[in-house]
Amino acid sequence: MNKLNSSDLEGLFAKVKDIMVENKENLFKLDSAIGDGDLGITMATGFSKVYEMISALGEEDIGRTFMKVGMTLAETVPSTLGTLMATGFMRAGKTIKGKTEVDLSDLVLIMSAFVEGIMERGKAKPAEKTIIDSLYPAFEALKLASESNQSLKEGFSQAYEAANKGVEATQKMISKHGRGAWYGEKSIGKKDPGAVAGMLLVKAFYEYLENKK
């Protein structure tokens, strides 16, 4: 399978919802260590609402659907990461507006816009202990996979692996944004909760493609 179409989106975001709900407690613990402690609720609630929206939507245009995912997150979970992800999805949607199916090269564009949107809105860059530290390596892996003509499944397998390594790398970093910045050097040794949330998003895409015949 080398393309996703609009009918895949309900199953895909069902997987995102399930993974965020399963990891709600883990995200809560990670976020309580160096953040506000609300990340688990933000991700579980936000993507549950996204899934409800997509289930009722019946939209063929994948770009428009992604933009509506962003709007739903902005309305439902207007927290720091909720707002950043909302921006990312809205930017991603604009890049593929009008498309009813996407291949790996399209998903590289989507991921690029998603990551750039978050970086601009959050004024963050790699190695600052944020969600970018899992998403940017995932984007780079996806881009390399596309350039070497690999399948969607192979691309997201490599993106997921890169995102996991990115999460592990955050343990050596000092938080520079949000409440985590208050902890300074005390944040060293702890995984960044936002990076974990980003990795879980990539994991959902990977698992959906892995199980799709």
Side-chain angles (χ1 to χ4, degrees), residues 103-143:
D103 59 15
L104 186 54
S105 62
D106 292 315
L107 282 156
V108 170
L109 290 176
I110 288 168
M111 190 72 160
S112 175
F114 185 72
V115 172
E116 280 177 23
I118 291 175
M119 284 172 70
E120 282 180 25
R121 185 75 186 258
K123 297 179 173 57
K125 55 184 189 284
E128 292 185 344
K129 204 172 178 108
T130 70
I131 187 173
I132 296 303
D133 292 308
S134 60
L135 291 181
Y136 195 81
F139 158 67
E140 288 186 312
L142 213 57
K143 189 167 180 279

Side-chain angles (χ1 to χ4, degrees), residues 77-160:
V77 283
S79 61
T80 304
L81 199 62
T83 300
L84 290 173
M85 278 201 182
T87 300
F89 276 111
M90 285 190 266
R91 289 279 188 94
K94 284 178 185 172
T95 65
I96 48 148
K97 201 171 174 189
K99 294 206 170 201
T100 56
E101 60 178 24
V102 291
D103 59 15
L104 186 54
S105 62
D106 292 315
L107 282 156
V108 170
L109 290 176
I110 288 168
M111 190 72 160
S112 175
F114 185 72
V115 172
E116 280 177 23
I118 291 175
M119 284 172 70
E120 282 180 25
R121 185 75 186 258
K123 297 179 173 57
K125 55 184 189 284
E128 292 185 344
K129 204 172 178 108
T130 70
I131 187 173
I132 296 303
D133 292 308
S134 60
L135 291 181
Y136 195 81
F139 158 67
E140 288 186 312
L142 213 57
K143 189 167 180 279
L144 280 173
S146 178
E147 287 167 355
S148 55
N149 296 313
Q150 295 186 53
S151 69
L152 262 183
K153 191 185 289 186
E154 288 166 338
F156 270 94
S157 171
Q158 288 159 35
Y160 175 42

Side-chain angles (χ1 to χ4, degrees), residues 17-191:
K17 168 188 69 83
D18 290 347
I19 282 177
M20 293 302 183
V21 170
E22 281 165 24
N23 285 274
K24 181 178 171 183
E25 205 58 39
N26 183 38
L27 288 171
F28 166 74
K29 286 176 186 169
L30 290 168
D31 197 34
S32 294
I34 56 169
D36 298 334
D38 62 352
L39 188 59
I41 292 167
T42 294
M43 293 294 101
T45 303
F47 284 103
S48 293
K49 288 291 183 186
V50 162
Y51 173 66
E52 283 174 26
M53 179 276 292
I54 288 177
S55 299
L57 189 60
E59 172 66 69
E60 292 290 308
D61 185 327
I62 294 174
R64 284 174 65 85
T65 302
F66 269 66
M67 288 169 76
K68 287 184 179 178
V69 168
M71 287 187 269
T72 301
L73 288 173
E75 289 165 12
T76 311
V77 283
S79 61
T80 304
L81 199 62
T83 300
L84 290 173
M85 278 201 182
T87 300
F89 276 111
M90 285 190 266
R91 289 279 188 94
K94 284 178 185 172
T95 65
I96 48 148
K97 201 171 174 189
K99 294 206 170 201
T100 56
E101 60 178 24
V102 291
D103 59 15
L104 186 54
S105 62
D106 292 315
L107 282 156
V108 170
L109 290 176
I110 288 168
M111 190 72 160
S112 175
F114 185 72
V115 172
E116 280 177 23
I118 291 175
M119 284 172 70
E120 282 180 25
R121 185 75 186 258
K123 297 179 173 57
K125 55 184 189 284
E128 292 185 344
K129 204 172 178 108
T130 70
I131 187 173
I132 296 303
D133 292 308
S134 60
L135 291 181
Y136 195 81
F139 158 67
E140 288 186 312
L142 213 57
K143 189 167 180 279
L144 280 173
S146 178
E147 287 167 355
S148 55
N149 296 313
Q150 295 186 53
S151 69
L152 262 183
K153 191 185 289 186
E154 288 166 338
F156 270 94
S157 171
Q158 288 159 35
Y160 175 42
E161 187 181 338
N164 264 314
K165 286 179 181 172
V167 167
E168 293 305 315
T170 64
Q171 293 184 89
K172 296 176 182 175
M173 298 173 191
I174 297 174
S175 292
K176 295 185 178 178
H177 294 271
R179 188 162 290 195
W182 298 359
Y183 290 85
E185 292 196 0
K186 289 180 182 174
S187 65
I188 294 173
K190 297 178 174 69
K191 291 178 184 175

